Amino acid sequence: PNRGDIPVPIAIGLFVFSMIGFILLCNWLVPAFPVWLLVVFGLVWTPLNSYISARMVGLAGTPLVFPYIREASFVLSRYNQGVDIWFAPIPLHDFGPTTQLFRELELTGTRIPSLIKAELLAIPIAIICSLFYWGFFWYIEPIPSTAYPYAAKVWPLETTYRSLFMTATLEGGTNWLFEALKPDWIIGGFGAGVGLYGLTTFLGASPLLFYGFVAGVGNWPHLVIPQMIGALVGRYHFRKKYGEERWRAYVPVLAAGFACGMGLSLMLCVGFVFITKAVTALPF
């Protein structure tokens, strides 16, 4: 009650209006790209994908990601006018995880209009402050450089990976993407996935086991391993100690407190690093 819900017709109207804006903007920036694909992305695929993803967030705690939809559409459209389409704001979105935000608003007693007001206040402040932060970062050292090890090590890999796909829309020259594609590996991976799903169904295991496996394949070990350890400790120790219902009530509070503590610790450490980098040590 009194949550401030937006009427469904108005919500749908705002969504359609924003998607049409994306479509018109993309068509203006890249007029040679097929408009019907933009319409399908914004008004068909985005709502469908968001619904499926929202269901997966409620069932498994993670959205369902369909890989390479964007890349495949660019390649199969036979667009060969350059790399401009890769930088256009394509209306291909997944709003499914946003449903978790509504549950958070309910748990904290926050009204939807209050969230909208907070966003309207935070966005201009963030834009202005970001300009100062970016200038400060560049003042310390150029990016990438030894002062930013992540950018120095990971950016070249990400740039090469993105350029690999962008060669598919170049007219003439070497198409690195088609040279890198291995049909036997693709077919083998698809067959392994289907076989694993069939095995879990045959053994009577929950489908969430399969979805959890798929969601964890692309994650980094330093994220997955601690998460697995925490899940085992919670299931076989704390659940027995506090009981099923009581422990399930503790988990959201514990996760929120841990996230807040990690965020504060991270910002404190980043602040110390920036201060030390900004101070120039004299030789005397």
Side-chain angles (χ1 to χ4, degrees), residues 89-243:
I90 300 297
L92 192 63
H93 306 283
D94 179 11
F95 299 112
T98 311
T99 54
Q100 184 175 345
L101 176 62
F102 290 99
R103 182 58 176 166
E104 295 171 359
L105 295 178
E106 291 181 355
L107 293 175
T108 58
T110 305
R111 301 179 72 248
I112 295 178
S114 300
L115 175 65
I116 297 175
K117 294 177 182 178
E119 292 288 343
L120 294 177
L121 176 64
I123 289 176
I125 295 177
I127 293 176
I128 296 174
C129 292
S130 296
L131 296 176
F132 290 100
Y133 291 143
W134 296 333
F136 180 71
F137 295 157
W138 277 102
Y139 172 78
I140 296 176
E141 286 288 345
I143 302 175
S145 65
T146 56
Y148 303 99
Y150 179 87
K153 291 182 177 297
V154 179
W155 279 13
L157 177 63
E158 294 182 350
T159 302
T160 303
Y161 186 70
R162 293 188 62 183
S163 301
L164 180 70
F165 283 95
M166 292 181 184
T167 59
T169 58
L170 292 177
E171 186 176 4
T174 303
N175 193 320
W176 296 348
L177 178 62
F178 290 162
E179 293 183 2
L181 291 177
K182 306 297 181 183
D184 51 346
W185 284 91
I186 297 175
I187 297 174
F190 177 76
V194 174
L196 181 62
Y197 182 79
L199 179 63
T200 55
T201 304
F202 176 77
L203 296 177
S206 172
L208 299 182
L209 175 65
F210 172 78
Y211 289 121
F213 173 79
V214 173
V217 166
N219 285 331
W220 292 96
H222 69 279
L223 297 175
V224 177
I225 295 177
Q227 186 178 11
M228 184 65 184
I229 295 175
L232 294 175
V233 173
R235 180 178 181 86
Y236 295 106
H237 176 69
F238 289 108
R239 182 178 294 184
K240 294 180 180 179
K241 182 177 181 179
Y242 296 107

